[in-house]
């Protein structure tokens, strides 16, 4: 079988069945599920609580679920219809004001109101819930996800959930017996799976249920403000469920077959699964992914607004690099901060380049196959992001024209027109430099031995022709570094001489560019220019004189 035959459906399916990458392992759970309970349609779901601005973890759940959905379609020959529902719990009451929104005082006046009734603090939509839903959909559409958006408010008020809500009422005692052991004693005293929505104030009330009538489809409670005894139907949007029973009810009402959740929700998944079974349903397949952490190792949160937003990542890097971050090690906790961006940009390119050389089996284990649903684009990036950042840093480039000048020297014939994808990378690099590199730029002063090595490097570079190749420059840099304290006696060069440690190259970047690491130094000099590099070394020597 050659690389080209991966498009043959039978060959592709055979390879997928033997693959151990996580999307296929997840998809096989759904295949096994269908063997136990036949269905002509498989429902994938992702959930989102719009009590705060959508963060990057929400995107990650949709991206990962999309990868599992595609893997399932490959395993089944795309003979079973699939749908992905992106569900927003926007009928939930606003419990607290998020930290990262304007007009906090205005929002504070609408606590406990359904999110689709809370005014939009940004003033652009009819409600805060609609504002956050719209932002989420813009992000998902930007990545061209195939999904169906579903609103909790719409489902409750339209009657779509009525049958399932009556089923919860019918099994009220069973749901309570599942939930009460998980609650603190004080909370258990007033807990009810149903939250009536006040016809007087519109607030989502957390009050005890005094009586329930499954035949009439009603619950009775006491109005917390007037002490009036109220009876209301549980249907038609006049009640909503607490979120764990709500999750289970949704699985039953929508027939959900697959939904993943964060590690912090393991107990919640179990409780909702028990409720789902009590209602006569089968909990969906799925797995618990690890959490994203901010720069301080804290869990990212919608209400805190810590960690990265989707907009922030896309200001500094390509959408594909974000998808790679989401693909890799979903069951390992990962720090999600600005300094992870450059590495993922270049590693995405490395995977894309490797894909062209790989056979069918290896291609299915390559992240880009899953990121692009089996059809990765052609490689079109002749210069790494690390190189672009180093060029911007060395030149303090504040505009794209300067950077394109260096690119043209390094890769003759490469322009905006010939490589539009690279044009976007130039913009990313300039943004990243301005916002992160420049403010944190710190040049290390060289020691005496390092000054001597830099002087010798300057003199040696001065003797090279202006069009010297990157390899010629790299060989020269390597030879100049073959001295103490940069010798690595454990390594041997091809000529038997001692090797050169990474300390030599790290010193060059720290002293000359004010950064910890960079691309291959010979390639950098070839792009930046030998004369410019000599000037840069002179500047570093002058600063430390």
């Amino acid at each position: 079988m050659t690389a080209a035959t991966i498009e043959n459906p039978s060959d592709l399916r055979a390879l997928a069945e033997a693959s151990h990458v996580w999307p296929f392992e997840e998809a096989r759970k759904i295949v096994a599920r269908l063997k136990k309970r036949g269905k002509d349609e498989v429902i994938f779901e992702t959930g989102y609580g719009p009590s705060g601005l959508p963060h990057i973890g929400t995107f990650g759940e949709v991206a990962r679920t999309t990868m599992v959905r595609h893997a399932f379609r490959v395993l089944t020959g795309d003979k079973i219809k699939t749908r992905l529902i992106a569900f927003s719990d926007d009928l939930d009451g606003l419990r607290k004001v998020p930290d990262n929104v304007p007009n906090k005082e205005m929002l504070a006046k609408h606590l406990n109101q359904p999110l689709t009734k809370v005014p939009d603090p940004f003033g652009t939509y009819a409600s805060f819930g609609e504002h956050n839903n719209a932002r989420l959909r813009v992000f998902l559409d930007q990545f061209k996800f195939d999904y169906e958006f579903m609103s909790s408010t719409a489902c409750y008020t339209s009657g779509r959930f009525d049958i399932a809500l009556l089923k919860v009422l019918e099994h009220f005692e069973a749901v309570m017996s599942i939930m009460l052991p998980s609650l603190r004693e004080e909370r258990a005293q007033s807990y009810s799976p149903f939250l009536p929505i006040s016809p007087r104030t519109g607030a989502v009330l957390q009050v005890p249920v005094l009586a329930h009538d499954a035949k009439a489809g009603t619950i009775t409670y006491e109005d917390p403000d007037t002490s009036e005894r109220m009876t209301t139907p549980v249907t038609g949007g006049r009640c909503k469920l607490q979120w764990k029973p709500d999750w289970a009810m949704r699985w039953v009402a929508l027939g959900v077959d697959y939904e993943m959740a964060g590690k912090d929700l393991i107990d919640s998944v179990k409780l909702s699964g028990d409720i789902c079974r009590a209602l006569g349903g089968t909990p969906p397949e799925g797995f618990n992914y690890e959490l994203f952490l901010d720069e301080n190792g804290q869990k990212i949160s919608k209400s805190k607004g810590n960690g990265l937003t989707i907009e922030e990542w896309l200001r500094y890097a390509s959408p594909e690099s974000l998808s790679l971050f989401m693909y890799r090690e979903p069951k390992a906790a990962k720090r999600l901060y600005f300094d992870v961006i450059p590495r993922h940009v270049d590693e995405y390119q490395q995977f894309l380049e490797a894909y062209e050389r790989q056979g069918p089996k290896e291609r299915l284990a390559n992240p880009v196959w899953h990121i692009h649903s089996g059809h990765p684009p052609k490689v079109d990036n002749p210069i790494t992001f690390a190189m672009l950042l180093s060029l911007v840093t060395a030149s303090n480039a504040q505009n794209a024209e300067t950077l394109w000048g260096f690119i043209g020297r390094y890769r003759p014939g490469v322009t905006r027109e010939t490589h539009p994808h690279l044009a976007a990378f130039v913009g990313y690099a300039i943004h990243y430099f301005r916002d992160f590199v420049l403010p944190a730029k710190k040049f290390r002063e060289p020691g005496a031995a390092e000054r001597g090595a830099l002087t010798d490097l300057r003199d040696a570079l001065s003797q090279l022709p202006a069009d010297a190749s990157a390899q010629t420059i790299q060989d020269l840099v390597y030879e100049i570094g073959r001295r103490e304290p940069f010798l690595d006696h454990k390594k041997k060069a091809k000529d038997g001489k001692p090797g050169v440690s990474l300390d030599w190259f790290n010193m060059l970047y720290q002293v000359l560019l004010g950064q910890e690491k960079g691309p291959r130094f010979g390639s950098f000099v070839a792009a930046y220019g030998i004369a410019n590099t000599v000037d840069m070394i002179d500047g570093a020597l002058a600063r430390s004189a």
Side-chain angles (χ1 to χ4, degrees):
M1 195 187 310
T2 65
T5 62
I6 193 171
E7 299 301 330
N8 183 297
S10 60
D11 291 342
L12 183 58
R13 184 172 178 176
L15 290 169
E17 288 172 345
S19 176
H20 296 294
V21 296
W22 71 264
F24 284 123
E25 290 182 341
E26 290 301 300
R28 280 193 284 270
K29 293 180 186 177
I30 309 169
V31 173
R33 177 187 179 92
L34 290 185
K35 290 179 180 178
K36 295 178 182 177
R37 48 191 304 269
K39 287 183 67 178
D40 57 4
E41 181 180 59
V42 170
I43 306 298
F44 296 81
E45 184 183 47
T46 63
Y48 165 61
S51 56
L53 303 180
H55 63 58
I56 213 162
T58 308
F59 160 81
E61 193 166 307
V62 179
R64 288 167 170 168
T65 304
T66 295
M67 294 173 190
V68 175
R69 180 188 183 189
H70 176 252
F72 172 80
R73 294 176 64 184
V74 170
L75 285 173
T76 56
D78 208 14
K79 295 178 180 178
I80 299 173
K81 183 181 178 181
T82 62
R83 292 165 55 208
L84 169 57
I85 295 172
F87 191 91
S88 171
D89 191 15
D90 55 16
L91 191 61
D92 197 20
L94 179 66
R95 304 302 175 197
K96 64 179 181 178
V97 178
D99 295 333
N100 58 341
V101 298
N103 298 313
K104 294 185 179 66
E105 291 183 4
M106 180 274 287
L107 282 182
K109 296 176 183 178
H110 296 275
L111 291 177
N112 299 314
Q113 291 288 318
L115 292 164
T116 45
K117 295 296 183 181
V118 175
D120 179 14
F122 296 89
T124 54
Y125 286 87
S127 70
F128 189 37
E130 289 174 69
H131 175 274
N132 292 338
N133 287 342
R135 289 185 65 164
L136 176 67
R137 296 177 74 173
V138 167
F139 297 144
L140 300 184
D141 292 343
Q142 185 173 355
F143 285 83
K144 296 181 173 58
F145 288 123
D146 176 21
Y147 71 98
E148 175 186 339
F149 180 80
M150 201 170 285
S151 158
S152 176
T153 299
C155 288
Y156 271 96
T157 57
S158 70
R160 184 166 189 165
F161 284 165
D162 282 358
I163 293 175
L165 288 168
L166 291 171
K167 190 170 291 188
V168 175
L169 187 61
E170 181 184 345
H171 296 85
F172 188 94
E173 286 80 8
V175 174
M176 290 289 281
S177 68
I178 293 168
M179 287 302 305
L180 291 180
S182 70
L183 304 172
R184 297 190 304 273
E185 184 177 352
E186 180 183 356
R187 178 81 175 100
Q189 296 299 319
S190 62
Y191 180 83
S192 165
F194 286 95
L195 302 174
I197 296 177
S198 172
R200 184 173 54 84
T201 66
V204 181
L205 303 175
Q206 297 211 37
V207 293
V209 167
L210 305 177
H212 61 279
D213 186 336
K215 289 185 178 179
T218 61
I219 59 169
T220 301
Y221 66 97
E222 183 179 286
D223 187 301
D225 296 325
T226 67
S227 298
E228 181 183 0
R229 193 177 177 95
M230 306 288 294
T231 297
T232 184
V234 299
T235 54
R238 286 172 284 242
C239 289
K240 86 171 295 289
L241 293 175
Q242 298 267 13
W243 82 269
K244 292 169 190 173
D246 183 273
W247 207 4
M249 179 276 296
R250 206 160 73 218
W251 290 342
V252 172
L254 301 178
V256 177
D257 296 290
Y258 187 87
E259 182 165 3
M260 58 180 67
K263 186 179 179 181
D264 56 335
L265 298 181
I266 288 177
D267 292 340
S268 300
V269 170
K270 182 180 182 303
L271 286 170
S272 295
D274 290 342
I275 294 171
C276 180
R277 281 184 280 269
L279 300 179
T282 302
E285 306 301 319
F287 79 96
N288 295 106
Y289 54 82
E290 262 289 1
L291 306 179
F292 299 118
L293 309 176
D294 65 14
E295 73 275 25
N296 299 314
Q298 301 297 311
K299 185 184 88 166
I300 63 172
S301 161
K302 292 192 298 291
S303 60
K304 290 181 181 178
N306 59 333
L308 280 174
T309 66
I310 302 174
E311 298 107 317
E312 286 170 332
W313 186 294
L314 297 182
R315 173 175 168 79
Y316 306 113
S318 62
E320 294 84 2
S321 64
L322 177 55
S323 295
L324 174 62
F325 181 88
M326 296 302 171
Y327 173 86
R328 303 174 88 175
E329 300 175 326
K331 293 192 175 184
K334 291 192 289 188
R335 186 170 169 274
L336 180 56
Y337 200 57
F338 296 103
D339 56 4
V340 308
I341 291 177
R343 175 168 61 89
H344 282 83
V345 175
D346 279 340
E347 289 185 355
Y348 168 78
Q349 286 299 127
Q350 292 165 12
F351 282 119
L352 198 60
E353 291 167 2
Y355 186 83
E356 296 294 325
R357 305 187 298 269
Q358 291 173 329
K361 181 179 179 181
E362 291 74 22
R363 285 186 169 188
L364 263 63
N366 189 322
V368 300
W369 190 88
H370 298 274
I371 290 169
H372 296 285
S373 298
H375 299 285
K378 296 293 183 182
V379 178
D380 181 32
N381 196 17
I383 187 166
T384 67
F385 193 61
M387 173 70 81
L388 288 174
L389 283 177
S390 293
L391 289 173
V392 176
T393 300
S395 61
N396 285 313
Q398 295 293 317
N399 61 76
E401 292 301 327
T402 302
L403 203 50
W404 278 107
F406 294 124
I407 293 170
R409 185 208 318 274
Y410 182 55
R411 290 285 187 261
V414 172
T415 67
R416 288 183 181 85
E417 292 71 30
T418 62
H419 290 76
H421 190 68
L422 181 59
F425 275 47
V426 167
Y428 298 145
I430 292 174
H431 287 155
Y432 196 91
F433 169 73
R434 287 174 180 167
D435 294 351
F436 301 109
V437 178
L438 189 58
K441 206 170 183 182
K442 292 181 181 178
F443 294 92
R444 178 169 76 78
E445 291 205 4
E450 292 170 337
R451 282 182 60 84
L454 284 169
T455 301
D456 289 348
L457 177 60
R458 177 216 181 278
D459 294 342
L461 286 173
S462 299
Q463 301 303 311
L464 289 178
D467 59 352
S469 69
Q471 186 59 52
T472 297
I473 298 169
Q474 183 73 9
D475 291 343
L476 182 145
V477 173
Y478 195 90
E479 190 59 38
I480 297 295
R482 186 175 279 120
R483 64 176 73 195
E484 295 293 356
F486 306 118
L487 288 177
D488 185 344
H489 294 281
K490 294 181 181 179
K491 296 179 182 178
K492 295 292 183 182
K494 292 180 180 179
D495 58 6
K497 295 179 182 179
V500 178
S501 74
L502 289 176
D503 292 342
W504 164 236
F505 295 97
N506 292 340
M507 183 275 290
L508 293 176
Y509 286 106
Q510 292 163 7
V511 171
L512 300 180
L513 296 175
Q515 63 189 51
E516 288 301 312
K517 296 185 183 298
R520 198 165 184 259
F521 197 75
S523 298
F524 163 72
V525 175
Y528 188 50
I530 290 174
N532 289 332
T533 305
V534 168
D535 286 343
M536 183 168 60
I537 296 173
D538 284 339
L541 293 172
R543 284 196 305 269
S544 61

